[in-house]
């Protein structure tokens, strides 16, 4: 299986369009990439406090997945963690939003979370359904 194309964003308007297509469930599945997830997180966190931004991400990711017939694709723990990570980075942002999202894409990966979680815990049904605390080391974000 080949990876989805995930070209860097070149402008804020690309991100705005992506978020609109995502929220309306019109975004083509191949465009729902790791970078797209981070763009949505960044956009929501610019507009709303962390709790509300996370709730919006949760609702829209689940809605988008369901529009594609995926009932099990959502992962609560990963969503919460990435929202926290992006929120932390936004306080230190000093570049345009497209460059910001592009910079996060290579640094924030699911594999990075394995410094805090065992594979078994991170990929458990419990972690998918609700936020679970790490079992390797405490979160520092």
């Amino acid at each position: 299986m080949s990876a989805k194309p995930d070209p860097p964003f070149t402008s804020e308007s690309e991100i705005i369009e992506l978020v609109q297509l995502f929220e309306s469930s019109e975004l083509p599945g191949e465009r729902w990439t790791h970078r797209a997830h981070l763009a949505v997180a960044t956009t929501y966190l610019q507009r709303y406090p962390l709790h509300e931004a996370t709730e919006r991400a949760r609702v829209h990711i689940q809605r988008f997945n369901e529009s594609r017939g995926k009932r099990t694709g959502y992962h609560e723990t990963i969503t919460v963690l990435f929202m926290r990570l992006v929120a932390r980075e936004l306080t230190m942002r000093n570049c345009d939003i497209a460059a910001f999202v592009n910079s996060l894409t290579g640094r924030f990966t699911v594999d990075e979370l394995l410094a805090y979680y065992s594979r078994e815990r991170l990929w458990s049904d419990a972690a998918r359904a609700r936020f679970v605390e790490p079992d390797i080391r405490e979160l520092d974000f």
Side-chain angles (χ1 to χ4, degrees):
M1 181 181 197
S2 63
K4 296 177 185 179
D6 196 15
F9 291 108
T10 59
S11 68
E12 183 174 356
S13 62
E14 281 183 290
I15 292 172
I16 291 168
E17 177 189 24
L18 178 132
V19 171
Q20 290 171 340
L21 290 170
F22 164 70
E23 289 182 338
S24 66
S25 296
E26 296 175 55
L27 184 71
E30 67 272 5
R31 289 188 60 200
W32 188 229
T33 62
H34 180 57
R35 188 181 315 270
H37 279 77
L38 292 169
V40 167
T42 300
T43 299
Y44 288 172
L45 287 161
Q46 286 184 306
R47 296 176 183 171
Y48 309 103
L50 176 59
H51 176 74
E52 187 176 348
T54 302
E55 179 61 22
R56 285 177 177 274
R58 177 183 299 116
V59 167
H60 285 289
I61 291 170
Q62 290 174 340
R63 185 179 299 152
F64 182 82
N65 287 349
E66 287 175 12
S67 78
R68 301 297 187 273
K70 295 181 181 180
R71 302 256 188 261
T72 60
Y74 179 75
H75 195 298
E76 176 70 6
T77 299
I78 291 174
T79 299
V80 168
L81 293 172
F82 275 106
M83 294 300 289
R84 287 182 186 177
L85 284 166
V86 173
R88 182 189 69 192
E89 293 294 308
L90 266 173
T91 64
M92 300 180 275
R93 180 173 76 99
N94 61 0
C95 59
D96 71 73
I97 195 68
F100 175 77
V101 171
N102 292 334
S103 76
L104 295 180
T105 303
R107 293 187 300 128
F108 290 176
T109 66
V110 172
D111 285 345
E112 307 283 326
L113 302 178
L114 296 175
Y116 302 91
Y117 290 84
S118 64
R119 286 189 184 280
E120 296 77 22
R121 185 167 183 98
L122 186 61
W123 295 112
S124 69
D125 289 341
R128 289 179 180 278
R130 67 185 188 287
F131 179 77
V132 297
E133 293 293 335
D135 59 344
I136 294 178
R137 80 176 214 223
E138 275 189 48
L139 296 171
D140 51 9
F141 55 91

